[in-house]
Amino acid sequence: MTIQAPAPSTDANTWDVIVLGAGAVGENVADRTAQGGLRTVIVERSLIGGECSYWACMPSKALLRSGAALAAARRVPGAAEAVTSGVDPRATLKRRDTIVNDYSDTGQANWLESAGIDLVRGHGTLTAPREVTVTAADGSARVLTASHAVVISTGSAALLPEVPGLAEVAPWTSREATSVTEIPTSLAIIAGGVVAAEMATAYTALGSHVTLIARSGLLGGSEPFVGELVATALRDSGATLLLNDSPTAARRTDAGDVELTLASGGTVIANEVLVATGRVPNTGGLGLATVGLIDGDWLTVDDTLRVVGESPASVSALGTERPDSGWLYAAGDVNHRALLTHQGKYQARAVGDVIVARAAGTPVDDKPWGSHVATADHNAVPQVTFTDPEVASVGLTAAAAVKAGYRVRILDYDLSSLGGSTVLADDYVGHARAIVDVDREVLIGATFVGQDVAELLHSATIAVVAEVPIDRLWHAVPSYPTLSEVWLRLLEAYGRPEHVD
């Protein structure tokens, strides 16, 4: 960035920008504001790097990778014969520990210092407009003041459903599931979303007998074929799926196992139970009521990620020295727009840059797809679910597109018919769907299910975000033999546009 920001304050307790939360989102916000010349401090009470680095994205994918690699080898004659055993749990956990740096954030702290970002350890609470009081582990308090902005990027936490006895059995959340030191013989999983499906895949490969209990089916927000293909694969791998069912009570047995009573009348007994039924915002105890918001609630933001709804008193309490009175921003899970690390980092870059622009008094590009907004949050969010088969999607499903009022054509293709899938694996199973807005003849959604389809997703994301016309996509030639040939097959299903002069 080349924006010339105002000279930073030299007060030891005053910064231009205060960022609450040093996860991936907070780090990116701070990086952008620091690069823009604003003196920036991050407040963090736990590990720098946050949920994604230590308890979510990275460790979960580390647990999944060993099983995925082994399954891929077994699908290729010549490699399959070399596979003589299953996944080694201890080696997998050791690799996980390496990837999370043995739960040390020294490297991340060193990066903050090298980037010119200050760090204050402790729990931050809003105690006045642009004021954060940080309570350290030893109980001491320090009051920080922001000249321009406070950004909340404290993420979210697991939601525990109100099932009698469930809290008392000390259930796992995603944190315990990804930081485990011993693989249980059996694991019950309550929920059918992304975390549940991924952990069912990982723990089945690691040798646990998994029972997944999902009241609303598996991966219900996706295209219908997604849940069907993933459910079939989980059952084939040895997992038990109890769909359209839910627990009504939980208790620990005398043997130390968890016993779940189900609505259907049956019971499930497992060494441990993982709850993955949703997320709640990490906004409790942040002092939101100080600025006219609700403690513990999600934060509503505009497309520049500025919080809307703080009280008039809170935005005027420090006077009218700036025409822009909105000083509070929220990026990442806390704003409930798209609970994905990559989407939070996308928001972080936008909010960091817009804070710099507003501090310098330079124009703000807040039109759709502008440099200071998070337009993609609405209908262009990419996501990969690392089950086996993988699920990769972006934009709208067919049902969502119709509900939104689009006139659409649905294009489907069996990925097993591709030359690329034939080479990749024997008996390849997969499916692709593209959703076309027929009025504009552009792609508005795509879903892929199959081995290694994650790498197909960014091409679809570019097509959706850039609104590439279908007739131009015909000139984007996919390499042969790769899975990307699916693009040609989907275009053939749509038909080549005829232009008549």
Side-chain angles (χ1 to χ4, degrees), residues 100-192:
V100 300
N101 295 309
D102 290 315
Y103 300 96
S104 168
D105 64 359
T106 300
Q108 294 296 94
N110 290 339
W111 175 80
L112 288 180
E113 184 177 3
S114 70
I117 301 165
D118 294 324
L119 170 66
V120 175
R121 297 223 185 228
H123 176 73
T125 304
L126 292 169
T127 45
R130 300 188 183 87
E131 180 184 279
V132 174
T133 297
V134 182
T135 304
D138 62 6
S140 61
R142 181 179 178 185
V143 179
L144 316 181
T145 301
S147 301
H148 294 291
V150 175
V151 183
I152 298 175
S153 57
T154 49
S156 64
L159 169 67
L160 189 65
E162 295 183 2
V163 175
L166 186 59
E168 288 71 27
V169 303
W172 285 5
T173 67
S174 55
R175 278 198 166 207
E176 288 76 22
T178 58
S179 61
V180 67
T181 57
E182 295 288 340
I183 302 301
T185 301
S186 56
L187 177 66
I189 300 176
I190 301 174

Side-chain angles (χ1 to χ4, degrees), residues 139-485:
S140 61
R142 181 179 178 185
V143 179
L144 316 181
T145 301
S147 301
H148 294 291
V150 175
V151 183
I152 298 175
S153 57
T154 49
S156 64
L159 169 67
L160 189 65
E162 295 183 2
V163 175
L166 186 59
E168 288 71 27
V169 303
W172 285 5
T173 67
S174 55
R175 278 198 166 207
E176 288 76 22
T178 58
S179 61
V180 67
T181 57
E182 295 288 340
I183 302 301
T185 301
S186 56
L187 177 66
I189 300 176
I190 301 174
V194 171
V195 172
E198 287 189 345
M199 290 299 95
T201 301
Y203 273 86
T204 299
L206 287 165
S208 289
H209 176 70
V210 172
T211 302
L212 186 148
I213 307 159
R215 179 176 58 187
S216 301
L218 193 64
L219 299 172
S222 305
E223 298 285 6
F225 59 83
V226 169
E228 295 169 4
L229 290 175
V230 174
T232 296
L234 283 172
R235 290 189 178 104
D236 289 346
S237 69
T240 299
L241 271 58
L242 303 177
L243 305 182
N244 304 308
D245 206 346
S246 59
T248 58
R251 72 178 188 93
R252 284 278 178 184
T253 68
D254 293 340
D257 293 330
V258 177
E259 181 180 85
L260 300 173
T261 302
L262 305 182
S264 62
T267 59
V268 170
I269 297 177
N271 296 148
E272 301 292 347
V273 57
L274 164 63
V275 177
T277 50
R279 308 290 293 179
V280 293
N282 274 330
T283 56
L286 290 185
L288 296 182
T290 304
V291 294
L293 299 170
I294 300 173
D295 285 317
D297 205 357
W298 301 102
L299 295 171
T300 303
V301 297
D302 63 19
D303 277 2
T304 67
L305 290 312
R306 186 161 57 185
V307 174
V308 295
E310 69 262 44
S311 68
S314 73
V315 298
S316 62
L318 295 186
T320 57
E321 71 277 11
R322 282 177 296 278
D324 166 31
S325 60
W327 54 273
L328 186 62
Y329 295 78
D333 283 11
V334 290
N335 62 39
H336 209 226
R337 288 164 68 103
L339 278 66
L340 297 162
T341 296
H342 49 271
Q343 214 67 22
K345 291 163 70 174
Y346 160 73
Q347 294 174 8
R349 297 180 183 107
V351 71
D353 289 352
V354 79
I355 288 171
V356 171
R358 284 172 173 155
T362 57
V364 171
D365 184 7
D366 59 0
K367 63 182 180 299
W369 306 111
S371 59
H372 296 135
V373 294
T375 307
D377 288 351
H378 299 299
N379 291 314
V381 175
Q383 180 172 9
V384 177
T385 302
F386 290 88
T387 45
D388 183 16
E390 291 176 342
V391 181
S393 63
V394 64
L396 300 174
T397 62
V402 171
K403 184 177 181 180
Y406 290 97
R407 290 199 313 126
V408 301
R409 276 193 61 186
I410 301 170
L411 312 176
D412 285 296
Y413 193 77
D414 183 347
L415 288 176
S416 68
S417 300
L418 298 173
S421 62
T422 300
V423 173
L424 187 64
D426 281 7
D427 301 317
Y428 188 98
V429 175
H431 193 83
R433 171 171 288 181
I435 312 299
V436 178
D437 173 358
V438 297
D439 293 321
R440 294 180 298 150
E441 291 201 318
V442 297
L443 193 71
I444 57 174
T447 299
F448 308 97
V449 182
Q451 180 182 324
D452 294 346
V453 296
E455 302 307 329
L456 282 174
L457 187 57
H458 197 56
S459 55
T461 302
I462 292 171
V464 170
V465 170
E467 299 180 339
V468 180
I470 294 293
D471 58 357
R472 178 58 64 89
L473 281 178
W474 275 94
H475 298 282
V477 182
S479 300
Y480 182 86
T482 67
L483 290 180
S484 292
E485 190 190 359

